[in-house]
Amino acid sequence: MADGEIPSAAIAGAVAAARGVLRLEEGEDAVLAAMAATALSLAEAFVGQRLIVRQFEDRVAADGAWRRLAAEPVVAVTGDHSADSDADGVGWVRASGGGLASVTYSAGLAGSWEALPPAIAQGCALLVAWLFEHREGGSAPPAAIAALWRPWRRVRVGSARR
């Protein structure tokens, strides 16, 4: 799995949920998997958080200043850097020695598809079903999908400093 890639088990979970919405027993596996990956990525972009816990790697200036990690919510930071996270799951790291330091960490809201908040999972399943049914394009996804995700949405305003 590449750095930050959505786990295949989460994609499979979204496909299974979308099959239920579509009442589709079998077939179209590759199409549904691609649409599930898209739906999960769009959900992450909308809520401003990684949904499924996975590994990330950031390169930060090793100048002794606190640096914000890109993915949220941070679960764990590995390595010998000073690390901290705030109540919102924003991860901070401080590296020294000059140049750039590579920081490996885990970030995500839930450990698996099954552990996602039900509204987020339902929104993903509905989006996969909508993408499947509207492959030709022509209309916007239902507003209900955004309404399901909105309680988990994080929007950055300005740049945080520590």
Side-chain angles (χ1 to χ4, degrees):
M1 178 168 51
D3 181 47
E5 187 176 311
I6 295 173
S8 58
I11 292 170
V15 167
R19 280 187 187 287
V21 171
L22 291 164
R23 296 182 181 109
L24 184 63
E25 298 279 329
E26 56 187 43
E28 305 288 353
D29 293 340
V31 173
L32 287 170
M35 291 173 177
T38 298
L40 287 163
S41 294
L42 288 170
E44 288 185 340
F46 184 86
V47 301
Q49 302 179 70
R50 301 301 176 208
L51 298 180
I52 306 297
V53 175
R54 54 197 188 271
Q55 292 287 314
F56 294 88
E57 184 176 343
D58 287 0
R59 307 249 320 141
V60 299
D63 59 3
W66 285 100
R67 304 289 176 183
R68 185 179 186 152
L69 296 172
E72 299 173 8
V74 171
V75 177
V77 178
T78 57
D80 58 353
H81 311 290
S82 296
D84 195 12
S85 63
D86 62 22
D88 291 327
V90 175
W92 298 88
V93 67
R94 183 171 54 191
S96 56
L100 291 176
S102 184
V103 179
T104 303
Y105 61 102
S106 299
L109 190 60
S112 66
W113 168 262
E114 296 77 18
L116 277 175
I120 291 177
Q122 181 66 27
C124 288
L126 290 173
L127 184 54
V128 172
W130 182 87
L131 289 168
F132 184 81
E133 291 176 336
H134 294 87
R135 285 175 274 185
E136 308 305 317
S139 66
I145 294 169
L148 287 165
W149 293 342
R150 194 166 287 119
W152 285 271
R153 189 170 195 185
R154 292 185 182 173
V155 179
R156 288 187 189 175
V157 179
S159 62
R161 298 226 181 242
R162 186 169 186 125

